[in-house]
Amino acid sequence: MSDSYIFTSESVSEGHPDKLCDRISDEIVDLFLSKEPEARVAAECLATTNFLAIAGETRGPDCITADMIENVARNAVKSIGYEQTEFHWNKIDVEVRLHSQSSDIAMGVDANDNKDEGAGDQGIMFGYACQETPVYMPAPIYYSHKILKALADDRHAGILDKLGPDSKSQVSLEYIDGKPVRASSVVVSTQHSEDVSQADIYDMVKPYIEKTLPDGWMCSDDQLHINPTGRFVIGGPDGDCGLTGRKIIVDTYGGAAPHGGGAFSGKDPTKVDRSAAYAARYLAKNIVASGLAERCTIQFSYAIGIAQPISLLVNTHGTGKVSDIELAKVIKNIMDLSPRGIREHLKLNRPIYARTAAYGHFGRYADKDGGFSWEKLDLVDELTSSLGFKVA
């Protein structure tokens, strides 16, 4: 890629049909972990007109019933704000088809006297960090998320009561010498009530875009597209079927970094699709925050039933202050990258996942109760001292 280019990322709101399904799946994970921290969950959700289907595999306490799971799902839909004729939290039909985890999978994953706990599946996972934003995220996805989060916060507060839960954003940024300098175009589509005009929606939404982007970054009016279809009344699962795990690029780096292909939501932290992707982000972010590199991509690969990753790659894209090989060696020394090691280091066996289901799993701030623990910068000193590197 040349040093001057335009790069685009999109985000979708908590009310987007796929994100609603992610939220429900992660609420189920939280329900199980709140009762038994070692519970196993792989919960998928489908949403369409006045209907939810929940399916998957679990291993956890018998006290969790189908009625409890249905109640969790309804409350999630309610909190997002769906009270529409064709998708109402209290009127939707909910079907729960969760069953016991396969004994064949459990045999390969569970720890015993002869081996440590193995990975729950084969796969590749990536983590990424860069210096483009204060949270070490690529700028296009960072601002795409921020626009929608600002709109959602004021919708919930009653300030934007004419807007509905379903919305999407897309931010295209111009890069010069590899640095983002301005928005070349912005697209926002938001669901709205029947009694509001296109002009009203434009006037409501534009200030949120202007407030979110840095000074001088706003695109020209002819490159600002707000509800470009002209009408967005029918939205959410009534307008488009939703599925868990269908927004993996929105969940991560907006396409600015590779993705291993595995979704996060609905999976307990023994699944390396989730926990190892969190660990890779954690390590990449600490490397960039320490000044060891301006950009960092980390890849892990795992085999089902095997504890340690079968490969580890560090790529600092020519920006590293030490070699990528040295960084890889240090990473192995300062963090146990087995599924158990990752969970214990980041304290992942807690009900902290429903909050991750919208506006990105990365680029957030660590919560006091352990949420987003993979966003902490607590490895900087260990990384730099291990490499004999002094932070400027």
PDB file of all heavy atoms in Angstrom, residues 147-165 167 188 190-193 196 200-209 211:
ATOM      1  N   ILE A 147     -19.398   7.518  16.503  1.00  0.00           N
ATOM      2  CA  ILE A 147     -20.590   8.190  15.980  1.00  0.00           C
ATOM      3  C   ILE A 147     -21.846   7.455  16.438  1.00  0.00           C
ATOM      4  O   ILE A 147     -22.804   8.068  16.957  1.00  0.00           O
ATOM      5  CB  ILE A 147     -20.539   8.278  14.441  1.00  0.00           C
ATOM      6  CG1 ILE A 147     -19.450   9.263  13.999  1.00  0.00           C
ATOM      7  CG2 ILE A 147     -21.895   8.696  13.874  1.00  0.00           C
ATOM      8  CD1 ILE A 147     -19.113   9.172  12.523  1.00  0.00           C
ATOM      9  N   LEU A 148     -21.870   6.149  16.261  1.00  0.00           N
ATOM     10  CA  LEU A 148     -23.068   5.375  16.613  1.00  0.00           C
ATOM     11  C   LEU A 148     -23.287   5.327  18.119  1.00  0.00           C
ATOM     12  O   LEU A 148     -24.437   5.360  18.579  1.00  0.00           O
ATOM     13  CB  LEU A 148     -22.955   3.963  16.056  1.00  0.00           C
ATOM     14  CG  LEU A 148     -22.966   3.833  14.531  1.00  0.00           C
ATOM     15  CD1 LEU A 148     -23.016   2.357  14.137  1.00  0.00           C
ATOM     16  CD2 LEU A 148     -24.148   4.576  13.904  1.00  0.00           C
ATOM     17  N   LYS A 149     -22.207   5.240  18.877  1.00  0.00           N
ATOM     18  CA  LYS A 149     -22.359   5.204  20.341  1.00  0.00           C
ATOM     19  C   LYS A 149     -22.939   6.521  20.838  1.00  0.00           C
ATOM     20  O   LYS A 149     -23.807   6.528  21.746  1.00  0.00           O
ATOM     21  CB  LYS A 149     -20.996   4.955  20.985  1.00  0.00           C
ATOM     22  CG  LYS A 149     -21.022   4.827  22.505  1.00  0.00           C
ATOM     23  CD  LYS A 149     -21.772   3.584  22.944  1.00  0.00           C
ATOM     24  CE  LYS A 149     -21.521   3.228  24.401  1.00  0.00           C
ATOM     25  NZ  LYS A 149     -21.844   4.283  25.361  1.00  0.00           N
ATOM     26  N   ALA A 150     -22.524   7.640  20.282  1.00  0.00           N
ATOM     27  CA  ALA A 150     -23.065   8.935  20.690  1.00  0.00           C
ATOM     28  C   ALA A 150     -24.554   9.038  20.368  1.00  0.00           C
ATOM     29  O   ALA A 150     -25.348   9.531  21.176  1.00  0.00           O
ATOM     30  CB  ALA A 150     -22.293  10.062  20.006  1.00  0.00           C
ATOM     31  N   LEU A 151     -24.943   8.569  19.186  1.00  0.00           N
ATOM     32  CA  LEU A 151     -26.358   8.578  18.812  1.00  0.00           C
ATOM     33  C   LEU A 151     -27.173   7.673  19.743  1.00  0.00           C
ATOM     34  O   LEU A 151     -28.266   8.047  20.192  1.00  0.00           O
ATOM     35  CB  LEU A 151     -26.524   8.112  17.362  1.00  0.00           C
ATOM     36  CG  LEU A 151     -26.029   9.072  16.278  1.00  0.00           C
ATOM     37  CD1 LEU A 151     -26.033   8.375  14.917  1.00  0.00           C
ATOM     38  CD2 LEU A 151     -26.889  10.334  16.217  1.00  0.00           C
ATOM     39  N   ALA A 152     -26.638   6.487  20.048  1.00  0.00           N
ATOM     40  CA  ALA A 152     -27.366   5.546  20.910  1.00  0.00           C
ATOM     41  C   ALA A 152     -27.518   6.093  22.322  1.00  0.00           C
ATOM     42  O   ALA A 152     -28.586   5.957  22.939  1.00  0.00           O
ATOM     43  CB  ALA A 152     -26.642   4.204  20.934  1.00  0.00           C
ATOM     44  N   ASP A 153     -26.456   6.700  22.852  1.00  0.00           N
ATOM     45  CA  ASP A 153     -26.538   7.243  24.211  1.00  0.00           C
ATOM     46  C   ASP A 153     -27.635   8.289  24.319  1.00  0.00           C
ATOM     47  O   ASP A 153     -28.412   8.288  25.299  1.00  0.00           O
ATOM     48  CB  ASP A 153     -25.196   7.867  24.607  1.00  0.00           C
ATOM     49  CG  ASP A 153     -24.114   6.824  24.889  1.00  0.00           C
ATOM     50  OD1 ASP A 153     -24.461   5.642  25.035  1.00  0.00           O
ATOM     51  OD2 ASP A 153     -22.932   7.216  24.956  1.00  0.00           O
ATOM     52  N   ASP A 154     -27.741   9.169  23.335  1.00  0.00           N
ATOM     53  CA  ASP A 154     -28.777  10.205  23.400  1.00  0.00           C
ATOM     54  C   ASP A 154     -30.151   9.667  23.031  1.00  0.00           C
ATOM     55  O   ASP A 154     -31.172  10.221  23.465  1.00  0.00           O
ATOM     56  CB  ASP A 154     -28.388  11.387  22.508  1.00  0.00           C
ATOM     57  CG  ASP A 154     -27.401  12.320  23.205  1.00  0.00           C
ATOM     58  OD1 ASP A 154     -27.043  12.041  24.366  1.00  0.00           O
ATOM     59  OD2 ASP A 154     -26.983  13.327  22.595  1.00  0.00           O
ATOM     60  N   ARG A 155     -30.209   8.585  22.265  1.00  0.00           N
ATOM     61  CA  ARG A 155     -31.505   7.921  22.037  1.00  0.00           C
ATOM     62  C   ARG A 155     -32.015   7.341  23.352  1.00  0.00           C
ATOM     63  O   ARG A 155     -33.182   7.525  23.719  1.00  0.00           O
ATOM     64  CB  ARG A 155     -31.363   6.822  20.980  1.00  0.00           C
ATOM     65  CG  ARG A 155     -32.637   6.008  20.761  1.00  0.00           C
ATOM     66  CD  ARG A 155     -32.482   4.994  19.658  1.00  0.00           C
ATOM     67  NE  ARG A 155     -31.453   4.002  19.956  1.00  0.00           N
ATOM     68  CZ  ARG A 155     -31.676   2.908  20.694  1.00  0.00           C
ATOM     69  NH1 ARG A 155     -32.864   2.685  21.229  1.00  0.00           N
ATOM     70  NH2 ARG A 155     -30.708   2.049  20.905  1.00  0.00           N
ATOM     71  N   HIS A 156     -31.148   6.652  24.080  1.00  0.00           N
ATOM     72  CA  HIS A 156     -31.554   6.084  25.370  1.00  0.00           C
ATOM     73  C   HIS A 156     -31.911   7.175  26.369  1.00  0.00           C
ATOM     74  O   HIS A 156     -32.789   6.982  27.221  1.00  0.00           O
ATOM     75  CB  HIS A 156     -30.429   5.219  25.937  1.00  0.00           C
ATOM     76  CG  HIS A 156     -30.279   3.889  25.275  1.00  0.00           C
ATOM     77  ND1 HIS A 156     -31.272   2.932  25.266  1.00  0.00           N
ATOM     78  CD2 HIS A 156     -29.234   3.349  24.585  1.00  0.00           C
ATOM     79  CE1 HIS A 156     -30.860   1.853  24.625  1.00  0.00           C
ATOM     80  NE2 HIS A 156     -29.629   2.087  24.187  1.00  0.00           N
ATOM     81  N   ALA A 157     -31.264   8.323  26.266  1.00  0.00           N
ATOM     82  CA  ALA A 157     -31.536   9.432  27.197  1.00  0.00           C
ATOM     83  C   ALA A 157     -32.806  10.193  26.842  1.00  0.00           C
ATOM     84  O   ALA A 157     -33.216  11.096  27.586  1.00  0.00           O
ATOM     85  CB  ALA A 157     -30.348  10.387  27.217  1.00  0.00           C
ATOM     86  N   GLY A 158     -33.422   9.852  25.708  1.00  0.00           N
ATOM     87  CA  GLY A 158     -34.643  10.529  25.279  1.00  0.00           C
ATOM     88  C   GLY A 158     -34.394  11.795  24.492  1.00  0.00           C
ATOM     89  O   GLY A 158     -35.349  12.471  24.081  1.00  0.00           O
ATOM     90  N   ILE A 159     -33.143  12.138  24.238  1.00  0.00           N
ATOM     91  CA  ILE A 159     -32.818  13.345  23.477  1.00  0.00           C
ATOM     92  C   ILE A 159     -33.104  13.131  21.992  1.00  0.00           C
ATOM     93  O   ILE A 159     -33.564  14.048  21.303  1.00  0.00           O
ATOM     94  CB  ILE A 159     -31.335  13.732  23.702  1.00  0.00           C
ATOM     95  CG1 ILE A 159     -31.108  14.067  25.177  1.00  0.00           C
ATOM     96  CG2 ILE A 159     -30.927  14.900  22.806  1.00  0.00           C
ATOM     97  CD1 ILE A 159     -29.643  14.165  25.558  1.00  0.00           C
ATOM     98  N   LEU A 160     -32.844  11.927  21.506  1.00  0.00           N
ATOM     99  CA  LEU A 160     -33.109  11.580  20.103  1.00  0.00           C
ATOM    100  C   LEU A 160     -34.230  10.544  20.051  1.00  0.00           C
ATOM    101  O   LEU A 160     -34.065   9.433  19.545  1.00  0.00           O
ATOM    102  CB  LEU A 160     -31.833  11.032  19.450  1.00  0.00           C
ATOM    103  CG  LEU A 160     -30.665  12.006  19.305  1.00  0.00           C
ATOM    104  CD1 LEU A 160     -29.447  11.295  18.747  1.00  0.00           C
ATOM    105  CD2 LEU A 160     -31.044  13.187  18.408  1.00  0.00           C
ATOM    106  N   ASP A 161     -35.386  10.909  20.588  1.00  0.00           N
ATOM    107  CA  ASP A 161     -36.476   9.939  20.711  1.00  0.00           C
ATOM    108  C   ASP A 161     -37.156   9.611  19.386  1.00  0.00           C
ATOM    109  O   ASP A 161     -38.005   8.719  19.329  1.00  0.00           O
ATOM    110  CB  ASP A 161     -37.515  10.423  21.729  1.00  0.00           C
ATOM    111  CG  ASP A 161     -38.115  11.773  21.365  1.00  0.00           C
ATOM    112  OD1 ASP A 161     -37.610  12.424  20.424  1.00  0.00           O
ATOM    113  OD2 ASP A 161     -39.087  12.188  22.022  1.00  0.00           O
ATOM    114  N   LYS A 162     -36.781  10.291  18.313  1.00  0.00           N
ATOM    115  CA  LYS A 162     -37.337   9.968  16.994  1.00  0.00           C
ATOM    116  C   LYS A 162     -36.491   8.919  16.263  1.00  0.00           C
ATOM    117  O   LYS A 162     -36.861   8.466  15.185  1.00  0.00           O
ATOM    118  CB  LYS A 162     -37.420  11.231  16.131  1.00  0.00           C
ATOM    119  CG  LYS A 162     -38.347  12.306  16.685  1.00  0.00           C
ATOM    120  CD  LYS A 162     -39.786  11.840  16.715  1.00  0.00           C
ATOM    121  CE  LYS A 162     -40.719  12.963  17.164  1.00  0.00           C
ATOM    122  NZ  LYS A 162     -42.142  12.505  17.213  1.00  0.00           N
ATOM    123  N   LEU A 163     -35.356   8.555  16.831  1.00  0.00           N
ATOM    124  CA  LEU A 163     -34.499   7.556  16.205  1.00  0.00           C
ATOM    125  C   LEU A 163     -34.800   6.177  16.761  1.00  0.00           C
ATOM    126  O   LEU A 163     -35.178   6.021  17.929  1.00  0.00           O
ATOM    127  CB  LEU A 163     -33.023   7.891  16.423  1.00  0.00           C
ATOM    128  CG  LEU A 163     -32.519   9.214  15.853  1.00  0.00           C
ATOM    129  CD1 LEU A 163     -31.009   9.295  15.974  1.00  0.00           C
ATOM    130  CD2 LEU A 163     -32.956   9.417  14.403  1.00  0.00           C
ATOM    131  N   GLY A 164     -34.609   5.156  15.923  1.00  0.00           N
ATOM    132  CA  GLY A 164     -34.798   3.776  16.339  1.00  0.00           C
ATOM    133  C   GLY A 164     -33.471   3.124  16.670  1.00  0.00           C
ATOM    134  O   GLY A 164     -32.392   3.701  16.484  1.00  0.00           O
ATOM    135  N   PRO A 165     -33.502   1.866  17.133  1.00  0.00           N
ATOM    136  CA  PRO A 165     -32.281   1.203  17.590  1.00  0.00           C
ATOM    137  C   PRO A 165     -31.311   0.799  16.481  1.00  0.00           C
ATOM    138  O   PRO A 165     -30.119   0.658  16.725  1.00  0.00           O
ATOM    139  CB  PRO A 165     -32.807  -0.051  18.300  1.00  0.00           C
ATOM    140  CG  PRO A 165     -34.252   0.215  18.584  1.00  0.00           C
ATOM    141  CD  PRO A 165     -34.717   1.097  17.482  1.00  0.00           C
ATOM    142  N   SER A 167     -28.929   1.072  13.355  1.00  0.00           N
ATOM    143  CA  SER A 167     -28.196   2.081  12.596  1.00  0.00           C
ATOM    144  C   SER A 167     -26.838   1.530  12.158  1.00  0.00           C
ATOM    145  O   SER A 167     -26.343   0.541  12.697  1.00  0.00           O
ATOM    146  CB  SER A 167     -28.000   3.367  13.419  1.00  0.00           C
ATOM    147  OG  SER A 167     -27.294   3.116  14.608  1.00  0.00           O
ATOM    148  N   VAL A 188     -24.036   7.567   7.348  1.00  0.00           N
ATOM    149  CA  VAL A 188     -24.783   7.123   8.529  1.00  0.00           C
ATOM    150  C   VAL A 188     -26.221   6.847   8.103  1.00  0.00           C
ATOM    151  O   VAL A 188     -26.868   7.701   7.497  1.00  0.00           O
ATOM    152  CB  VAL A 188     -24.775   8.173   9.661  1.00  0.00           C
ATOM    153  CG1 VAL A 188     -25.681   7.713  10.807  1.00  0.00           C
ATOM    154  CG2 VAL A 188     -23.363   8.415  10.169  1.00  0.00           C
ATOM    155  N   THR A 190     -29.767   5.591   9.882  1.00  0.00           N
ATOM    156  CA  THR A 190     -30.380   5.321  11.184  1.00  0.00           C
ATOM    157  C   THR A 190     -31.887   5.150  11.053  1.00  0.00           C
ATOM    158  O   THR A 190     -32.559   5.913  10.344  1.00  0.00           O
ATOM    159  CB  THR A 190     -30.059   6.432  12.198  1.00  0.00           C
ATOM    160  OG1 THR A 190     -30.707   6.140  13.442  1.00  0.00           O
ATOM    161  CG2 THR A 190     -30.502   7.803  11.719  1.00  0.00           C
ATOM    162  N   GLN A 191     -32.382   4.155  11.743  1.00  0.00           N
ATOM    163  CA  GLN A 191     -33.823   3.918  11.805  1.00  0.00           C
ATOM    164  C   GLN A 191     -34.510   5.107  12.481  1.00  0.00           C
ATOM    165  O   GLN A 191     -33.928   5.748  13.367  1.00  0.00           O
ATOM    166  CB  GLN A 191     -34.077   2.642  12.601  1.00  0.00           C
ATOM    167  CG  GLN A 191     -35.507   2.143  12.599  1.00  0.00           C
ATOM    168  CD  GLN A 191     -35.662   0.893  13.451  1.00  0.00           C
ATOM    169  OE1 GLN A 191     -34.758   0.535  14.205  1.00  0.00           O
ATOM    170  NE2 GLN A 191     -36.788   0.232  13.334  1.00  0.00           N
ATOM    171  N   HIS A 192     -35.729   5.395  12.070  1.00  0.00           N
ATOM    172  CA  HIS A 192     -36.426   6.555  12.628  1.00  0.00           C
ATOM    173  C   HIS A 192     -37.928   6.307  12.635  1.00  0.00           C
ATOM    174  O   HIS A 192     -38.442   5.379  12.006  1.00  0.00           O
ATOM    175  CB  HIS A 192     -36.099   7.811  11.812  1.00  0.00           C
ATOM    176  CG  HIS A 192     -36.437   7.685  10.350  1.00  0.00           C
ATOM    177  ND1 HIS A 192     -37.689   7.963   9.846  1.00  0.00           N
ATOM    178  CD2 HIS A 192     -35.681   7.309   9.290  1.00  0.00           C
ATOM    179  CE1 HIS A 192     -37.692   7.756   8.541  1.00  0.00           C
ATOM    180  NE2 HIS A 192     -36.481   7.360   8.171  1.00  0.00           N
ATOM    181  N   SER A 193     -38.632   7.145  13.355  1.00  0.00           N
ATOM    182  CA  SER A 193     -40.084   7.018  13.439  1.00  0.00           C
ATOM    183  C   SER A 193     -40.739   7.518  12.151  1.00  0.00           C
ATOM    184  O   SER A 193     -40.130   8.227  11.347  1.00  0.00           O
ATOM    185  CB  SER A 193     -40.612   7.797  14.643  1.00  0.00           C
ATOM    186  OG  SER A 193     -40.298   9.173  14.516  1.00  0.00           O
ATOM    187  N   VAL A 196     -41.094  11.647  11.014  1.00  0.00           N
ATOM    188  CA  VAL A 196     -39.948  12.539  10.906  1.00  0.00           C
ATOM    189  C   VAL A 196     -39.452  12.537   9.463  1.00  0.00           C
ATOM    190  O   VAL A 196     -39.463  11.509   8.788  1.00  0.00           O
ATOM    191  CB  VAL A 196     -38.830  12.110  11.906  1.00  0.00           C
ATOM    192  CG1 VAL A 196     -38.285  10.746  11.576  1.00  0.00           C
ATOM    193  CG2 VAL A 196     -37.736  13.136  11.971  1.00  0.00           C
ATOM    194  N   ASP A 200     -35.154  16.372   8.681  1.00  0.00           N
ATOM    195  CA  ASP A 200     -35.033  16.353  10.141  1.00  0.00           C
ATOM    196  C   ASP A 200     -33.928  15.386  10.591  1.00  0.00           C
ATOM    197  O   ASP A 200     -33.144  15.695  11.487  1.00  0.00           O
ATOM    198  CB  ASP A 200     -36.351  15.952  10.789  1.00  0.00           C
ATOM    199  CG  ASP A 200     -37.435  17.012  10.633  1.00  0.00           C
ATOM    200  OD1 ASP A 200     -37.079  18.196  10.451  1.00  0.00           O
ATOM    201  OD2 ASP A 200     -38.628  16.651  10.681  1.00  0.00           O
ATOM    202  N   ILE A 201     -33.894  14.208   9.977  1.00  0.00           N
ATOM    203  CA  ILE A 201     -32.869  13.218  10.314  1.00  0.00           C
ATOM    204  C   ILE A 201     -31.478  13.778  10.028  1.00  0.00           C
ATOM    205  O   ILE A 201     -30.545  13.644  10.832  1.00  0.00           O
ATOM    206  CB  ILE A 201     -33.095  11.907   9.536  1.00  0.00           C
ATOM    207  CG1 ILE A 201     -34.403  11.249   9.958  1.00  0.00           C
ATOM    208  CG2 ILE A 201     -31.927  10.950   9.737  1.00  0.00           C
ATOM    209  CD1 ILE A 201     -34.434  10.785  11.389  1.00  0.00           C
ATOM    210  N   TYR A 202     -31.332  14.418   8.888  1.00  0.00           N
ATOM    211  CA  TYR A 202     -30.043  15.020   8.510  1.00  0.00           C
ATOM    212  C   TYR A 202     -29.603  16.029   9.572  1.00  0.00           C
ATOM    213  O   TYR A 202     -28.447  16.018  10.022  1.00  0.00           O
ATOM    214  CB  TYR A 202     -30.175  15.680   7.143  1.00  0.00           C
ATOM    215  CG  TYR A 202     -28.878  16.185   6.549  1.00  0.00           C
ATOM    216  CD1 TYR A 202     -28.150  15.407   5.655  1.00  0.00           C
ATOM    217  CD2 TYR A 202     -28.382  17.444   6.882  1.00  0.00           C
ATOM    218  CE1 TYR A 202     -26.952  15.867   5.119  1.00  0.00           C
ATOM    219  CE2 TYR A 202     -27.192  17.913   6.351  1.00  0.00           C
ATOM    220  CZ  TYR A 202     -26.485  17.120   5.455  1.00  0.00           C
ATOM    221  OH  TYR A 202     -25.304  17.582   4.923  1.00  0.00           O
ATOM    222  N   ASP A 203     -30.538  16.894   9.981  1.00  0.00           N
ATOM    223  CA  ASP A 203     -30.206  17.928  10.967  1.00  0.00           C
ATOM    224  C   ASP A 203     -29.904  17.328  12.346  1.00  0.00           C
ATOM    225  O   ASP A 203     -29.117  17.898  13.112  1.00  0.00           O
ATOM    226  CB  ASP A 203     -31.357  18.932  11.076  1.00  0.00           C
ATOM    227  CG  ASP A 203     -31.491  19.801   9.831  1.00  0.00           C
ATOM    228  OD1 ASP A 203     -30.523  19.876   9.051  1.00  0.00           O
ATOM    229  OD2 ASP A 203     -32.573  20.385   9.637  1.00  0.00           O
ATOM    230  N   MET A 204     -30.541  16.203  12.672  1.00  0.00           N
ATOM    231  CA  MET A 204     -30.277  15.546  13.953  1.00  0.00           C
ATOM    232  C   MET A 204     -28.892  14.902  13.988  1.00  0.00           C
ATOM    233  O   MET A 204     -28.162  14.994  14.975  1.00  0.00           O
ATOM    234  CB  MET A 204     -31.320  14.438  14.207  1.00  0.00           C
ATOM    235  CG  MET A 204     -32.691  14.888  14.583  1.00  0.00           C
ATOM    236  SD  MET A 204     -33.714  13.400  14.829  1.00  0.00           S
ATOM    237  CE  MET A 204     -35.346  14.087  14.621  1.00  0.00           C
ATOM    238  N   VAL A 205     -28.536  14.230  12.900  1.00  0.00           N
ATOM    239  CA  VAL A 205     -27.355  13.362  12.892  1.00  0.00           C
ATOM    240  C   VAL A 205     -26.067  14.122  12.607  1.00  0.00           C
ATOM    241  O   VAL A 205     -25.022  13.837  13.199  1.00  0.00           O
ATOM    242  CB  VAL A 205     -27.556  12.216  11.874  1.00  0.00           C
ATOM    243  CG1 VAL A 205     -26.269  11.415  11.689  1.00  0.00           C
ATOM    244  CG2 VAL A 205     -28.699  11.310  12.316  1.00  0.00           C
ATOM    245  N   LYS A 206     -26.119  15.110  11.725  1.00  0.00           N
ATOM    246  CA  LYS A 206     -24.877  15.783  11.305  1.00  0.00           C
ATOM    247  C   LYS A 206     -24.065  16.330  12.478  1.00  0.00           C
ATOM    248  O   LYS A 206     -22.815  16.168  12.496  1.00  0.00           O
ATOM    249  CB  LYS A 206     -25.205  16.898  10.307  1.00  0.00           C
ATOM    250  CG  LYS A 206     -23.945  17.576   9.753  1.00  0.00           C
ATOM    251  CD  LYS A 206     -24.284  18.664   8.734  1.00  0.00           C
ATOM    252  CE  LYS A 206     -23.024  19.352   8.222  1.00  0.00           C
ATOM    253  NZ  LYS A 206     -23.326  20.431   7.252  1.00  0.00           N
ATOM    254  N   PRO A 207     -24.675  16.974  13.467  1.00  0.00           N
ATOM    255  CA  PRO A 207     -23.853  17.496  14.572  1.00  0.00           C
ATOM    256  C   PRO A 207     -23.083  16.424  15.330  1.00  0.00           C
ATOM    257  O   PRO A 207     -22.004  16.696  15.859  1.00  0.00           O
ATOM    258  CB  PRO A 207     -24.889  18.187  15.475  1.00  0.00           C
ATOM    259  CG  PRO A 207     -26.036  18.508  14.571  1.00  0.00           C
ATOM    260  CD  PRO A 207     -26.089  17.385  13.592  1.00  0.00           C
ATOM    261  N   TYR A 208     -23.626  15.213  15.390  1.00  0.00           N
ATOM    262  CA  TYR A 208     -22.933  14.129  16.087  1.00  0.00           C
ATOM    263  C   TYR A 208     -21.677  13.712  15.331  1.00  0.00           C
ATOM    264  O   TYR A 208     -20.660  13.362  15.941  1.00  0.00           O
ATOM    265  CB  TYR A 208     -23.876  12.934  16.277  1.00  0.00           C
ATOM    266  CG  TYR A 208     -24.909  13.192  17.351  1.00  0.00           C
ATOM    267  CD1 TYR A 208     -26.090  13.874  17.055  1.00  0.00           C
ATOM    268  CD2 TYR A 208     -24.703  12.786  18.665  1.00  0.00           C
ATOM    269  CE1 TYR A 208     -27.037  14.126  18.025  1.00  0.00           C
ATOM    270  CE2 TYR A 208     -25.640  13.032  19.647  1.00  0.00           C
ATOM    271  CZ  TYR A 208     -26.809  13.715  19.324  1.00  0.00           C
ATOM    272  OH  TYR A 208     -27.733  13.963  20.301  1.00  0.00           O
ATOM    273  N   ILE A 209     -21.752  13.744  14.022  1.00  0.00           N
ATOM    274  CA  ILE A 209     -20.573  13.435  13.205  1.00  0.00           C
ATOM    275  C   ILE A 209     -19.521  14.521  13.387  1.00  0.00           C
ATOM    276  O   ILE A 209     -18.340  14.246  13.582  1.00  0.00           O
ATOM    277  CB  ILE A 209     -20.969  13.288  11.729  1.00  0.00           C
ATOM    278  CG1 ILE A 209     -22.006  12.175  11.565  1.00  0.00           C
ATOM    279  CG2 ILE A 209     -19.746  13.016  10.860  1.00  0.00           C
ATOM    280  CD1 ILE A 209     -22.654  12.126  10.190  1.00  0.00           C
ATOM    281  N   LYS A 211     -19.109  16.540  15.906  1.00  0.00           N
ATOM    282  CA  LYS A 211     -18.533  16.500  17.246  1.00  0.00           C
ATOM    283  C   LYS A 211     -17.547  15.345  17.417  1.00  0.00           C
ATOM    284  O   LYS A 211     -16.591  15.439  18.183  1.00  0.00           O
ATOM    285  CB  LYS A 211     -19.651  16.353  18.299  1.00  0.00           C
ATOM    286  CG  LYS A 211     -20.382  17.633  18.629  1.00  0.00           C
ATOM    287  CD  LYS A 211     -21.246  17.466  19.859  1.00  0.00           C
ATOM    288  CE  LYS A 211     -22.283  16.366  19.706  1.00  0.00           C
ATOM    289  NZ  LYS A 211     -23.182  16.274  20.892  1.00  0.00           N
TER     290      LYS A 211
END
